[in-house]
Amino acid sequence: QQQVKQSPQSLIVQKGGISIINCAYENTAFDYFPWYQQFPGKGPALLIAIRPDVSEKKEGRFTISFNKSAKQFSLHIMDSQPGDSATYFCAAGGSNYQLIWGAGTKLIIKP
Amino acid sequence: DAGITQSPRHKVTETGTPVTLRCHQTENHRYMYWYRQDPGHGLRLIHYSYGVKDTDKGEVSDGYSVSRSKTEDFLLTLESATSSQTSVYFCAIRMNQHLYNEQFFGPGTRLTVL
């Protein structure tokens, strides 16, 4: 019940295209769903996050879509750029101040 | 920048030796976390702390111990390092003033156990 399943493991997208990464969770007590971006040799950095009381949150080219009934959420990167090439992690958290992490998606944007 | 530093940044050690990794923060945040990151596993929580001398285990705590004698420092110790503990270790903090569980990460320590 504590797992967060992330897909795909890797993704190649042409420059200007839309990158979509999906996550699914099991524990309905989760109430915080962040996405992190990690470049090689660096720590993960918080990119965008959503709470379950909204179905979508947009920040610039990055959008989280949230489907509470399906227990799924996804990250959409519009107009993907080579600088977006990184590993992306989804996570889910509740009231215990811990986050449960997806396994990560390595995104490559081809110029 | 959450003011988190980790030391050392890289370490190579031999099986059976003790190793201590340090996480230092400058902003008095209450919650601190130690994770390990391995390919295909994402981030796995080792231990976390919710105050000075207050710590608890995460999902992969076997073989690791922690200590927090000051708010700003959270130490991770491998009592007798094994090759399976070769990994990248990240420290994270949760900002005191944030309502939700946003965590901010240090730059990581790459540990190799030969």
Side-chain angles (χ1 to χ4, degrees), chain A residues 32 36 38 89 97-98, chain B residues 31 33 37 100-103:
Chain A
Y32 174 68
Y36 281 76
Q38 185 180 28
F89 293 95
Y97 301 114
Q98 294 181 39
Chain B
Y31 281 82
Y33 306 82
Q37 185 175 47
Y100 308 116
N101 197 7
E102 293 137 322
Q103 293 183 16

Side-chain angles (χ1 to χ4, degrees), chain A residues 58-70:
Chain A
K58 185 175 180 179
E59 288 184 3
R61 297 184 293 108
F62 300 90
T63 300
I64 300 179
S65 297
F66 185 81
N67 185 329
K68 189 173 181 178
S69 60

Side-chain angles (χ1 to χ4, degrees), chain A residues 1-72:
Chain A
Q1 259 219 328
Q2 284 288 88
Q3 280 189 323
V4 175
K5 294 182 180 177
Q6 183 172 345
S7 63
Q9 223 174 356
S10 61
L11 181 63
I12 300 174
V13 174
Q14 289 293 130
K15 179 183 173 184
I18 303 173
S19 305
I20 302 174
I21 305 170
N22 301 298
C23 282
Y25 64 98
E26 299 169 353
N27 189 343
T28 55
F30 289 147
D31 63 358
Y32 174 68
F33 302 90
W35 284 92
Y36 281 76
Q37 180 188 57
Q38 185 180 28
F39 294 106
K42 304 289 186 185
L46 180 63
L47 186 63
I48 185 173
I50 197 167
R51 294 262 295 168
D53 50 347
V54 296
S55 60
E56 185 175 282
K57 183 173 180 181
K58 185 175 180 179
E59 288 184 3
R61 297 184 293 108
F62 300 90
T63 300
I64 300 179
S65 297
F66 185 81
N67 185 329
K68 189 173 181 178
S69 60
K71 292 187 283 186
Q72 295 175 348

